[in-house]
Amino acid sequence: MTTKKIFRTEALIIGLGICLLFGSCKTNSHFQVVTRERIVLDDGWRLFKYSSAQLADNLIYDVRPEVKEHDDAKDADSRPTGAVVTEAGQPVLRPWILPTANDFIKDPMQKHQRPDGNPGSDFPFVQANFDDSVWEKVKLPHDWAINGPFQTGWDSEVGGGMGRLPVNGVAWYRKKLDIPASDAGRSIFLDIDGAMSYAIVWLNGKLVGGWPYGYASWRLDLTPYVQPGGVNQLAIRLDNPNYSARWYPGGGIYRHVWLTKTHPVHIAQNGTYITTREVSAHSANVDMEVTVDNHFTESVNVDVVARIFALDNNGIRQNEVVADFPKQECKAKAGERSVLKATVKITNPKLWGPPPTQHPNLYMAVTTVEMDGRVIDSYETRFGIRSLEFNPDKGILVNGEKIALKGVNNHHDLGALGAAFNKSAARRQLEILREMGCNAIRMAHNPPDPGLLELTDRMGFLVVDEIFDSWEQKKTPHDFHLIFPDWSEADTRAFIRRDRNCPSVIIWSFGNEVGEQYLDKAGAEVARRLYDFVKEEDSTRPTITAMNYAKPDMELPKMADMIGLNYQGEGIRQDPIFDGIERIRTPPQYDAFHTRFPDKVILSLETASALSSRGIYHFPVTSSLSSPARDGMGGDSKSCQISAYELYAVDFGSSVDKVFAALDRHPFVAGEFVWNGFDYIGEPTPYYEARSSYTGIVDLAGFKKDRYYLYQAHWRPDLPMVHILPHWNWPGRVGEITPVHLFTSGDEAELFLNGQSLGRKKKGEYEYRLRWDNVIYEPGELKAIAYKEGKVWAEERVKTTGSAVALNMVSDRTEMVADGKELAFVTVAVADNEGLTVPLSNNRIKFSIEGPGEIVATDNGDATNMESFASHSRSAFNGLVLVIVRAKAGVTGVIKLKAESDGLKDIQVEIVAKREFGFGH
Ligand code: GAL
């Protein structure tokens, strides 16, 4: 028998120090932040976007290969290809931008020297006296493409793959910064959480630097360029290429931007790193590494002191000091970086762990730098204490408890809000997922907004944090491969340093279905480099890459600590329909990988890619457990809608039922991440005429598809529930076979049609739904009574509704904070005279608002809907419309949202906009 190595890590972690983000401003503590300021720069921006990239200025980062041919609609698992070599036939700014990466390049010989000169300094947009008053006023986070218009048809510039929205192009953001004279002598930094993409920054006409990867969070040192005692002109140029992604990337400065001001001797960017060892309910050792930067011209001696406080459930720092790190002296040499290490033992720590069996307790370390007894910097680090164990036979243990990962993948867009990050929208997604029983998120396929990780830390989700969808090999002509050679080290190190204190992050993924899977040793070499970067920045968590092609005997699986499989566990294209085709076809792989890698934990990073449109049912219904979608087989290429019997999947995917069976048969697999949680903009496989995906468990508007209940039934076995599908309004099907399927957390159920029993059925082993495939349709009522261990467990009814006569309207909150950020999500349903939602209704609904609120967006979850998300009217899609409302900043009062539709009784909801500080944004 092989001796199995158990990968064990006891890490804890944290976050970005940040009072503004984490609510510590309202701390009761007397331990005050004194000298560091972190100012959010969301307001007061002006934007200009060129009408076409061809008309743009030539201040380009680099030339890009010309796109001669591009198949937007090719399968996601098509083999990636090699880079195209391009010669820069014109001056480019790349050499001036590369030095921004220097802090993240280990080998001093590889660091970049800034060339002489100051490109762009004579360009009008970077000048302080340039008149930008006619430019559009915008607030961050801002996505320049989300309001459309959608580009329709096969010849559109931006195709279905990238969401048919005008993401591509070149644009400038300008903002005036008022820097008081008292800031003279301080260090001043610009911190950008994310800008899409190829950002280049000028301050007061001087080129400062930039960062190409749109998902990275990065910092520029503005100090040499700042003029204290007046207005300073910031100008940021973005250049977002078409063909850069397989999904909607969004465009613009879509995350927050901050101005950080510190003493010249200060804690570095993401300059604390906290890990834990020997974690138990009785004690834990907390190790902390602090990096101090001395930007002074002379060397100084400082003391570094750190204290740990508990955070309460609202993220508020408690008064009591839980532990003190020993004071350390630091001889900070002029212009250099010093690293200090300290350890403290905490007794009876409150551990961080995922609900419902554990609680996500958090701590905050407050680290101060003192000079001559005076505090000159203070930095907050959110972290948690938990142990992780990765056991190849048992899976993942958090604080000693086995936690099967019931995860989903999510892209970064927030539906109708686009890529612009909004914490209350992200929290809504997590709450909907939690109600389903989901306990884990894979950040597909790029670093998320830091605010999302704050939420996963606070809510106790387990996270696979991921950085790349491509390495040197490309999936689309302008994806990350173009900058991989220059930026992969800096991007990887910066990513880990930013997120390594978050307790929710348990695994680092450094690639998704990369082309290097096909390249044997050469591909493995690329992986080894990335692996080393990750491990050098954080050795407490295992690494993974998502493999949809690499087999156990190939090179890539050797290159990460864990085995990450996409679709291979269930097998790929095993259906006879695929006989003879030249695509990936793979028999089920769990056992083969387990045998070949007995020391490695296997995790399914992508499962399912099941397809459905909420509320749409096509007939006949396949009798099989899982089927590809084709016309007459769950699909309909005319309407571009797919049947929600939830038995259909992309060609390389599998139905939910098939995935569950494969996982239950292989209990050594640590769990799964479903592709995917929420529908996203772009990648509308298999109908690229559409705008958004069909693979979500929840639609783009946040409405649950039937599949949601299949997951809930399996992932929350203790929640009494039974769900019936389809709806029961089939006037054209009287007398025809109309299958009825039930999803229940019980083990048995009886189905009744108009009071007549259609029989009682029991789930067999590896069965997850109950199906009555021969029901003859007649209008009336379907009733399901579910049983568990012989006792009545849950009941559900679905009735044939009357015609539409009214509207229902429900807001997910009755009060909100008047901060211009928090959002209310209002669901409007077309109803019959009993208040039942009328399934196929598509009535046109108009919205109006009174009081201190505004309608931000509307949506109905229909992947084919090409109306701007900004529209204040929309047709229902299968009975439902979503309205997203924001309270105006600083104005309190009652917001009244009204919905009207011809022939239907109108309706109104009220939401109170309040002054109190909230936590959701
Ligand atoms: C996978 C890929 C995902 C997504 C999915 C769609 O192969 O990793 O990013 O494209 O397919 O089904």
Side-chain angles (χ1 to χ4, degrees), residues 44-48 125 127-137 173-176 233-234:
W45 291 85
R46 294 280 182 170
L47 167 71
F48 169 76
F125 295 175
Q127 315 298 332
N129 59 7
F130 174 77
D131 179 9
D132 59 16
S133 59
V134 296
W135 287 17
E136 186 187 353
K137 279 189 183 169
Y173 286 80
R174 281 169 53 97
K175 181 177 165 62
K176 297 201 184 307
Q233 183 62 53
L234 187 62

Side-chain angles (χ1 to χ4, degrees), residues 12-16 215 217 255 270 272-274 382 386 443 446-454 456-457 463-467 491-508 537-538 541:
L12 101 95
I13 319 322
I14 354 189
L16 320 166
Y215 296 102
S217 297
R255 293 179 181 166
N270 298 319
T272 54
Y273 175 36
I274 300 184
R382 178 179 80 243
R386 44 124 176 98
M443 302 295 173
N446 36 256
D449 188 282
L452 181 53
L453 291 178
E454 183 198 332
T456 54
D457 279 358
V463 169
V464 173
D465 209 0
E466 181 160 278
I467 176 153
D491 269 312
T492 306
R493 292 189 192 276
F495 157 67
I496 309 280
R497 278 183 218 170
R498 191 195 73 167
D499 293 348
R500 64 191 175 179
N501 292 319
C502 294
S504 57
V505 175
I506 63 165
I507 296 165
W508 302 116
E537 298 298 330
D538 175 41
R541 295 172 179 84

Side-chain angles (χ1 to χ4, degrees), residues 613-617 641 699 703 727 828-830 837-843 860-862 875-881:
S613 308
R614 174 184 52 79
I616 299 278
Y617 306 90
Q641 304 292 1
D699 76 15
F703 301 136
H727 62 75
V828 182
V830 178
T837 302
V838 181
L840 294 169
S841 53
N842 56 2
N843 306 56
N860 59 14
D862 175 0
S875 302
F877 179 60
N878 297 321
L880 301 181
V881 176

Side-chain angles (χ1 to χ4, degrees), residues 148-219:
F150 281 104
Q151 304 173 6
T152 54
W154 286 114
D155 297 332
S156 62
E157 193 177 358
V158 180
M162 281 174 60
R164 302 193 164 277
L165 289 168
V167 273
N168 55 321
V170 177
W172 286 81
Y173 286 80
R174 281 169 53 97
K175 181 177 165 62
K176 297 201 184 307
L177 302 176
D178 208 348
I179 309 282
S182 54
D183 279 350
R186 297 177 92 184
S187 292
I188 300 189
F189 303 99
L190 187 70
D191 289 326
I192 298 201
D193 286 348
M196 192 64 72
S197 54
Y198 289 90
I200 306 182
V201 178
W202 285 259
L203 184 72
N204 299 326
K206 303 273 167 42
L207 176 59
V208 183
W211 202 287
Y213 192 33
Y215 296 102
S217 297
W218 44 281
R219 160 172 281 193

Side-chain angles (χ1 to χ4, degrees), residues 52 64 72 123 136 179 189 206 223 295 421 572 783 831:
S52 128
R64 284 193 279 261
D72 187 44
F123 189 66
E136 186 187 353
I179 309 282
F189 303 99
K206 303 273 167 42
T223 319
H295 286 188
F421 184 73
I572 296 174
K783 180 170 96 174

Side-chain angles (χ1 to χ4, degrees), residues 76 246 445 512-513 566-567 606 609 650 652 675 680 683 695:
R246 302 181 297 109
H445 302 294
N512 175 59
E513 298 185 353
N566 284 10
Y567 310 101
E606 274 183 48
S609 271
V650 302
F652 52 82
W675 191 272
Y680 49 97
E683 210 183 21
T695 47

